[in-house]
Amino acid sequence: MAVQNNTPPEQTTAWRLLAEHQRQAAELRLHGEFARDPGRAQRFSLGLERLFVDFSRNLITDETLSLLLDLAGQLGLGEKIGALFSGQEVNTTEQRPALHTLLRVPDDAGAGIQGNGEPDGMARRVRQERDRMFAFVKRLRAGEVRGSAGKPITRVVNIGIGGSDLGPRLVNGALSGYHREGMDIDFVANIDPFDIERALARADPETTLFIVASKSFTTQETLVNATRAERWLAENGCNDTGRHFLAVSGNSAAVERFGIGKDRYFKLEDWTGGRYSIWSCIGMSSAICIGEDNFREFLAGAHALDLHFRSSAFDNNIPVILALLSVWYNNFFDVGAHAVIPYDQRLEILPAYLGQLVMESNGKSVGTDGNRVGTKTSQVIWGGAGSQAQHAVFQFLHQGTRISSIDFLLPLTGGHDRAQHELLVANCLAQGEALMRGSANSAEPHRHFDGNRPSTTIVYDRLDPYTLGMLLALYEHKTYVEAAIWGINAFDQWGVDLGKTLAGQIAAELAGGEPPGSHDASTEQLMGRYRSAQRN
Ligand code: F6P
C-alpha cells in the first residue's frame, strides 16, 4: 500500500507562515537571545539515554519550532512514520518497504514490535540469517574456517562499495577499541586497481578470506575486484578458491554463478537499502572485528532510537527536530550545505557515510506523486574530523560569505589521557561558541567575525557499540523525516544509473570491442587522450 499524504509542502499553511516568520528569524542575534532568555539552552536541548543534543545555537525561537511542528503535522508525518515501521511500500518506485528497523529488533522483542503490518515470517528470517552470521563468526574466530591449504583464516577483506563498504568501514574504525585480537580486516571499494592491489600486497593467499558484499551482485567495481582476488588466489597456488570467499547479497543466482557455495552465502532481503544495510549481514566484517555481543549492542542502540522515533511526541523527538531544522535552513534560509564535524577521530569517515545516507536518499527532484518537486531537497553533506577540520576548512565557516549548518559530535569521555581529551572538548565547545558569538572589529575588517552562525552539538558519554547504533539510527530517521516533509522517496537511487550505463559503453569502446559511440566533443577528446597515452 502506498503512503498517502502527497501534499506538496509549499502548499501547506505552515509553509506559508514559516516563510513569513523567516523574515523575523533572520534578524535574530543568537548571542543576544542567550542573554535575554536564561532558559534557552535547556529548552532547546533533548536527551535520550547516552545522547544529549543541544540545538539551542540555531536560528530559532519557540514560534519557529511550533510552526515547524505544524508543518510536520500538516504533511502527515505521524502516518508516514507508521508506514515505515509497519512495512508499507514507502519505496514507491520499487514497490517495496524499507524495513531496516526490523534488522535491529532484538531476538526477545516478541511479535508485533514493528507494528500492524509486520509479516512475522520476515522477522523470523532476519533472526535466522543473523544467527547464521554469528555462527560463522564464531567458527572463524575459533580457527575452524580454513583456507585451501588447511590454515586458519587470519585476514578478512571486505570487497564492496557504497553501502556495502561505508557502513562496515565506519563501524570498523569507530569501534577499533572493541576489536578482538587475531584478525586483520581490510576494505576494498574502488575500481582503481591501486585499491585491490594494496590490499593483496599485504595479504597471505593461504589465510585470507574475501567477503564479497553486494546487494545486487552486479556492481562493476565489486565484481571486478572479486574476480581479481580470485585470480590472485589461483596465481598464488590456491587450488580451491571457493574456500576463500563468502558473499552477502540479495542475488543468490549471481552468487552461485560466481562460484560461492550456499553455506557461504548470506542473504540480504530486497527491502534492505544499501545505505541502510550495516544492520544486516553486510555487517559481517564488523561482527568479525567486534564479536557477537558487541554487534548485538550496536543493534540494540539503534533499536532504542527506533522506539524513541516511533513513540515520542514530535516536540520531544530528536530525529524529527533535527530534520525540521535542516528543512528550516535548506528551504527558508537557502543554506544548501550541512557540515558534520565529529570531534572524535574514530568517526573520521562519518561525513562520507552520512554523505551517502543523506544525499543518495534525498538528492531527488521528483516527489512520491511523480511530479517535480517545488522545493529544494537534500543539502550537501560535508565535513571532517575536528580538530583537523579547524585547520583546514573552518575559515569558510567563520568568515565565508555562505553559511553551512553544522552538527558537532563529541564524546564526553575518551579512552586515553584525560588532559588531552579535555583539549579536544575545549576545541569543540570553542568552535560552536565562536561561530555563534562572532567578534566585531571595524578597524581591521579581515579580523571581523559576523558570528550568528548556527550549529547543533551532539554529545554522548562514550563511543561504545550501543551509542554508535543510536547515532546512526538517529541520522537514518532524520533523513526519513526530511524526505517525508519534501514528499520524496528516500529509498531509491535512480540517479546513479545513467552514469553506470555510459561507463559500460565507454569501457566497451575503449577496449575496442564496440564501434565508437556518438559522444560529445569533450568526451571524445578525453577518450582520444587516453588512447594516445596507451600508445606512448
Ligand atoms: O550505485 C549506487 C549503489 O546501488 C548504492 O545504493 C549501493 O550502496 C552501492 O551502489 C553498492 O551496491 P551493491 O551493494 O548492489 O553492490
Side-chain angles (χ1 to χ4, degrees):
M1 197 208 316
V3 182
Q4 290 313 308
N5 192 327
N6 274 333
T7 312
E10 69 279 13
Q11 288 179 18
T12 59
T13 314
W15 193 274
R16 187 175 48 72
L17 294 175
L18 278 161
E20 282 167 21
H21 172 68
Q22 189 275 343
R23 286 193 282 277
Q24 297 156 31
E27 300 299 317
L28 276 180
R29 294 302 299 174
L30 284 175
H31 196 221
E33 290 301 307
F34 278 105
R36 197 182 56 74
D37 172 6
R40 180 178 173 93
Q42 201 190 355
R43 209 168 61 259
F44 292 149
S45 294
L46 286 172
L48 177 69
E49 299 185 22
R50 307 169 191 189
L51 291 185
F52 182 79
V53 180
D54 180 336
F55 56 97
S56 63
R57 286 176 183 154
N58 283 288
L59 295 165
I60 54 168
T61 61
D62 294 305
E63 188 184 354
T64 320
L65 268 193
S66 153
L67 288 171
L68 286 167
L69 292 166
D70 288 350
L71 179 68
Q74 288 171 20
L75 290 168
L77 180 61
E79 193 190 18
K80 290 177 181 176
I81 294 174
L84 176 74
F85 281 90
S86 63
Q88 291 183 41
E89 289 177 355
V90 288
N91 182 349
T92 44
T93 61
E94 295 174 312
Q95 291 89 46
R96 56 192 185 213
L99 275 169
H100 41 283
T101 53
L102 189 59
L103 295 167
R104 49 233 192 184
V105 173
D107 285 358
D108 57 2
I113 191 82
Q114 282 289 114
N116 298 337
E118 184 211 334
D120 263 347
M122 277 191 198
R124 201 178 51 246
R125 286 208 305 276
V126 165
R127 279 199 297 271
Q128 273 168 3
E129 215 53 11
R130 189 158 66 199
D131 288 346
R132 280 188 67 220
M133 173 173 83
F134 289 137
F136 182 83
V137 169
K138 205 167 172 184
R139 287 205 307 117
L140 183 74
R141 281 303 192 161
E144 290 167 15
V145 178
R146 291 170 184 264
S148 59
K151 293 189 184 167
I153 295 297
T154 55
R155 174 177 289 267
V156 168
V157 180
N158 189 80
I159 301 180
I161 197 163
S164 300
D165 167 68
L166 285 163
R169 203 188 279 260
L170 172 75
V171 174
N172 183 60
L175 300 180
S176 54
Y178 293 82
H179 283 201
R180 294 167 56 203
E181 302 263 292
M183 194 67 64
D184 294 316
I185 311 279
D186 216 337
F187 295 88
V188 172
N190 207 308
I191 190 80
D192 185 338
F194 276 107
D195 204 13
I196 179 95
E197 297 305 332
R198 173 198 47 78
L200 296 179
R202 47 189 185 216
D204 176 344
E206 295 189 340
T207 56
T208 298
L209 175 75
F210 295 95
I211 297 177
V212 188
S214 174
K215 180 178 175 185
S216 62
F217 225 80
T218 59
T219 303
Q220 185 192 54
E221 290 87 341
T222 302
L223 294 188
V224 166
N225 282 325
T227 305
R228 169 66 187 123
E230 191 181 30
R231 207 169 63 240
W232 172 82
L233 286 166
E235 283 164 6
N236 285 281
C238 174
N239 54 18
D240 185 359
T241 56
R243 297 182 70 155
H244 293 264
F245 278 97
L246 173 161
V248 184
S249 179
N251 185 348
S252 58
V255 170
E256 201 180 327
R257 276 198 300 280
F258 188 85
I260 298 177
K262 282 196 171 54
D263 59 323
R264 290 289 183 91
Y265 167 59
F266 294 83
K267 186 171 167 55
L268 201 57
E269 300 286 343
D270 71 346
W271 42 255
T272 310
R275 52 196 175 274
Y276 300 88
S277 66
I278 181 58
W279 323 101
S280 71
C281 295
I282 286 287
M284 173 73 82
S285 58
S286 308
I288 291 170
C289 288
I290 62 176
E292 175 177 344
D293 290 352
N294 285 321
F295 197 85
R296 284 192 190 273
E297 273 291 289
F298 173 62
L299 299 180
H303 182 63
L305 210 299
D306 293 341
L307 296 179
H308 164 79
F309 176 53
R310 204 173 165 199
S311 60
S312 304
F314 291 165
D315 61 354
N316 205 28
N317 193 315
I318 300 174
V320 170
I321 294 290
L322 293 187
L324 291 174
L325 285 174
S326 85
V327 169
W328 178 230
Y329 289 120
N330 189 44
N331 299 107
F332 297 92
F333 281 84
D334 201 22
V335 170
H338 181 75
V340 177
I341 313 282
Y343 275 78
D344 191 330
Q345 187 59 34
R346 298 159 297 179
L347 292 179
E348 192 183 9
I349 70 156
L350 184 66
Y353 176 86
L354 295 183
Q356 185 195 13
L357 174 65
V358 177
M359 294 197 281
E360 200 173 70
S361 295
N362 290 347
K364 309 282 167 65
S365 305
V366 169
T368 45
D369 58 1
N371 296 321
R372 275 192 92 79
V373 292
T375 59
K376 295 258 168 58
T377 58
S378 182
Q379 290 178 293
V380 172
I381 304 297
W382 67 292
S387 59
Q388 294 101 308
Q390 279 172 223
H391 297 275
V393 293
F394 272 40
Q395 168 63 37
F396 168 92
L397 291 176
H398 285 285
Q399 288 186 318
T401 54
R402 291 179 186 280
I403 305 277
S404 171
S405 49
I406 305 170
D407 284 351
F408 292 117
L409 291 102
L410 176 70
L412 296 177
T413 55
H416 301 285
D417 181 60
R418 176 159 163 207
Q420 186 162 345
H421 181 74
E422 218 155 272
L423 294 175
L424 177 81
V425 174
N427 272 280
C428 177
L429 302 188
Q431 291 299 327
E433 183 171 349
L435 284 160
M436 188 267 289
R437 181 193 283 257
S439 171
N441 191 336
S442 52
E444 298 172 291
H446 54 282
R447 288 184 190 267
H448 173 85
F449 293 77
D450 284 341
N452 219 33
R453 303 200 167 201
S455 65
T456 297
T457 306
I458 301 175
V459 301
Y460 40 94
D461 296 347
R462 69 184 63 79
L463 191 62
D464 52 24
Y466 188 91
T467 305
L468 183 68
M470 289 185 89
L471 281 171
L472 300 189
L474 161 59
Y475 279 107
E476 284 182 355
H477 294 319
K478 176 190 176 199
T479 304
Y480 180 68
V481 175
E482 290 173 2
I485 299 291
W486 294 322
I488 56 176
N489 174 4
F491 301 112
D492 60 8
Q493 57 281 321
W494 299 102
V496 301
D497 278 10
L498 180 59
K500 282 186 194 173
T501 308
L502 264 177
Q505 278 172 28
I506 293 175
E509 289 167 28
L510 290 176
E514 296 287 326
S518 51
H519 301 284
D520 59 273
S522 168
T523 308
E524 292 289 355
Q525 168 174 267
L526 296 169
M527 287 170 76
R529 289 193 81 86
Y530 171 75
R531 287 195 181 99
S532 45
Q534 306 316 301
R535 287 193 290 270
N536 295 335

